[in-house]
Amino acid sequence: MTLRLILGTAFLLALLLAVAGCTQVIPLPPVLPATSSPTPVPTTLPADSVTPEPTGTLPSYWSVNVQAQSNGQAINPQIIITFRGGQGTSLIPRILLKVTRSDGVVETGEMDQPFSIGRSVTFAATTGYQDRAEAWAITPQGDAVKILDQYVPFRSYNTG
């Protein structure tokens, strides 16, 4: 009898713990009118440009932030693009990434839900100063908004 009581209690506690982790409320994106057809999510990136271009602005409730930096290692140079959070963390479904190296090689990648602060994607880089990182946030409606476009120098030296 005691063994059944202990096992029953343990099972009940395990069940309550499993259910407790699944009760977080996630805000839903705005609903589209029933008459409109769904917009496909872009899977290709815009055409290449030689220099960084201006970035777009997401509404504050969709805003997310990514950061690009070099690891500064000459033996294995890499560009690391890191997710830094934002109000749109649970609303933006995907972030498309692209690195254009100074030797002309283009690499792409993506970050998908669930996002977490500090999550990163690593790309091969060169030891030059013209490697370029770009990122597009895909909105819940399927639009791509450029949120990052910058050169990522191999090393930054303190000039002050």
Side-chain angles (χ1 to χ4, degrees):
M1 178 76 171
T2 308
L3 182 60
R4 284 186 182 179
L5 183 61
I6 292 172
L7 288 177
T9 305
F11 178 74
L12 181 62
L13 287 174
L15 183 63
L16 288 174
L17 285 174
V19 172
C22 300
T23 59
Q24 181 180 6
V25 177
I26 298 175
L28 298 175
V31 178
L32 294 174
T35 57
S36 68
S37 60
T39 306
V41 176
T43 56
T44 59
L45 300 174
D48 292 334
S49 170
V50 177
T51 59
E53 299 170 344
T55 58
T57 304
L58 289 166
S60 63
Y61 49 88
W62 284 344
S63 67
V64 290
N65 187 12
V66 293
Q67 175 185 9
Q69 62 185 20
S70 171
N71 68 351
Q73 297 177 359
I75 197 150
N76 184 20
Q78 297 176 341
I79 293 176
I80 303 159
I81 301 179
T82 307
F83 182 77
R84 292 295 180 199
Q87 290 182 345
T89 299
S90 62
L91 298 175
I92 296 295
R94 185 181 334 166
I95 298 174
L96 301 177
L97 309 170
K98 181 167 98 172
V99 168
T100 306
R101 299 185 340 204
S102 58
D103 60 4
V105 174
V106 176
E107 290 187 59
T108 60
E110 64 182 51
M111 291 182 187
D112 290 316
Q113 282 285 0
F115 296 120
S116 59
I117 295 174
R119 179 177 174 195
S120 61
V121 177
T122 304
F123 297 92
T126 66
T127 55
Y129 291 88
Q130 297 295 312
D131 291 347
R132 179 178 169 200
E134 299 172 84
W136 290 265
I138 306 302
T139 67
Q141 277 78 27
D143 300 323
V145 177
K146 187 182 279 191
I147 58 173
L148 174 75
D149 192 354
Q150 69 181 49
Y151 286 124
V152 181
F154 167 63
R155 285 192 181 140
S156 296
Y157 296 100
N158 188 0
T159 58

